[in-house]
């Protein structure tokens, strides 16, 4: 697989190699060793989620308190989606910036994002199905959202009338979330990431810094 960092530090696009024959398709959609080699640490798997959405549904922008935060590895196993990473880390050089990656069941791309980054998705097809792995279990008290239609973010959603949940429709703007002190701090995010296990020089053993 090919793994490339996006324009927002801490987010990567994964492009797997696929094998196709008359029987169907085979691919490795996740490799902990290959990912760890590129990003510098393994993804500690704590929870796996499946999300199914109708066309036009927008979910996000969601993020978790840091520490501990929640890293995510996301792919689309049915249909197509625009997956969006938003830099919500106060003090980051790319604070307030977003980047989108098309995920679908044809090219089978995935996105990995570190703790502190915001995540959102827009379903481009009916019954769009996401499969994503998380580094921490769901903790509603530590989960937050920023309004996905906030003009300050300026996310270019590829649907005319995005369908939002009640929670996302009531989410604060980026400015209000920052004023309320709920956005992640960039330095705290870096410390959280750097404390994680790292690859040893010979093979994969993992160690704490």
């Amino acid at each position: 697989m090919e793994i490339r960092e996006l324009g927002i530090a801490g987010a990567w696009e994964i492009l797997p190699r696929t094998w196709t024959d008359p029987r169907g398709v085979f691919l490795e959609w996740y490799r902990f060793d290959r990912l760890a080699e590129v990003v510098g640490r393994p993804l500690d798997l704590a929870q796996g989620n499946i999300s199914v959405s109708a066309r036009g549904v927008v979910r996000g922008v969601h993020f978790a308190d840091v520490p501990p935060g929640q890293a995510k590895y996301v792919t689309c196993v049915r249909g197509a989606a625009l997956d969006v990473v938003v830099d919500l880390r106060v003090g980051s050089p790319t604070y307030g910036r977003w980047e989108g990656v098309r995920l679908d069941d044809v090219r089978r791309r995935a996105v990995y994002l570190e703790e502190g980054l915001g995540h959102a998705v827009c379903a481009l097809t009916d019954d769009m199905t996401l499969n994503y792995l998380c580094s921490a279990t769901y903790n509603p008290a530590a989960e937050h959202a920023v309004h996905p239609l906030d003009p300050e973010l300026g996310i270019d959603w590829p649907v005319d009338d995005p369908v939002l949940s009640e929670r996302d429709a009531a989410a604060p703007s980026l400015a209000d979330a920052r004023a309320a002190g709920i956005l992640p701090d960039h330095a705290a995010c870096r410390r959280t990431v750097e404390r994680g296990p790292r690859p040893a020089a010979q093979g994969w053993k993992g160690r704490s810094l």
Side-chain angles (χ1 to χ4, degrees), residues 63 86-90 95-97 145-147 150-153 171-180 182-183:
F63 64 100
V86 184
D87 194 347
L88 303 176
R89 303 167 299 186
V90 177
Y95 171 76
R97 179 175 166 182
V146 169
H147 202 294
D150 181 4
E152 183 178 355
L153 290 178
S173 67
L174 181 66
D176 287 345
R178 181 169 185 173
I182 64 172
L183 294 182

Side-chain angles (χ1 to χ4, degrees), residues 116-190:
L117 292 172
H119 180 250
V121 63
C122 175
L124 304 178
T125 58
D126 282 324
D127 295 325
M128 184 279 296
T129 304
L130 287 186
N131 185 346
Y132 56 105
L133 308 174
C134 303
S135 66
T137 56
Y138 176 65
N139 178 5
E143 295 281 336
H144 308 283
V146 169
H147 202 294
L149 307 185
D150 181 4
E152 183 178 355
L153 290 178
I155 300 174
D156 185 16
W157 298 111
V159 292
D160 294 331
D161 189 18
V163 179
L164 308 181
S165 69
E166 291 185 6
R167 174 199 177 197
D168 292 340
S173 67
L174 181 66
D176 287 345
R178 181 169 185 173
I182 64 172
L183 294 182
D185 176 74
H186 184 248
C189 292
R190 296 315 308 157

Side-chain angles (χ1 to χ4, degrees), residues 4-173:
R4 71 173 188 92
E5 191 166 20
L6 299 178
I8 297 174
W12 285 264
E13 176 189 24
I14 298 91
L15 188 62
R17 181 182 176 187
T18 60
W19 286 266
T20 304
D21 63 27
R23 300 170 300 165
V25 178
F26 176 84
L27 68 147
E28 295 175 344
W29 75 276
Y30 170 70
R31 279 279 301 266
F32 92 98
D33 54 342
R34 293 293 308 279
L35 181 69
E37 179 182 1
V38 174
V39 308
R41 62 176 185 147
L43 171 60
D44 293 331
L45 298 182
Q47 182 171 318
N49 299 327
I50 290 177
S51 173
V52 182
S53 301
R55 184 183 184 281
V57 167
V58 169
R59 299 178 185 266
V61 179
H62 299 155
F63 64 100
D65 288 338
V66 179
Q70 190 184 63
K72 297 177 180 178
Y73 189 100
V74 188
T75 193
C76 179
V77 297
R78 181 177 182 181
L82 177 67
D83 196 82
V84 175
V85 178
V86 184
D87 194 347
L88 303 176
R89 303 167 299 186
V90 177
S92 168
T94 53
Y95 171 76
R97 179 175 166 182
W98 67 275
E99 188 161 353
V101 176
R102 179 185 171 93
L103 304 181
D104 58 41
D105 57 9
V106 177
R107 197 57 192 92
R108 310 284 182 176
R109 288 180 174 87
V111 168
Y112 170 71
L113 58 153
E114 288 181 348
E115 297 87 342
L117 292 172
H119 180 250
V121 63
C122 175
L124 304 178
T125 58
D126 282 324
D127 295 325
M128 184 279 296
T129 304
L130 287 186
N131 185 346
Y132 56 105
L133 308 174
C134 303
S135 66
T137 56
Y138 176 65
N139 178 5
E143 295 281 336
H144 308 283
V146 169
H147 202 294
L149 307 185
D150 181 4
E152 183 178 355
L153 290 178
I155 300 174
D156 185 16
W157 298 111
V159 292
D160 294 331
D161 189 18
V163 179
L164 308 181
S165 69
E166 291 185 6
R167 174 199 177 197
D168 292 340
S173 67

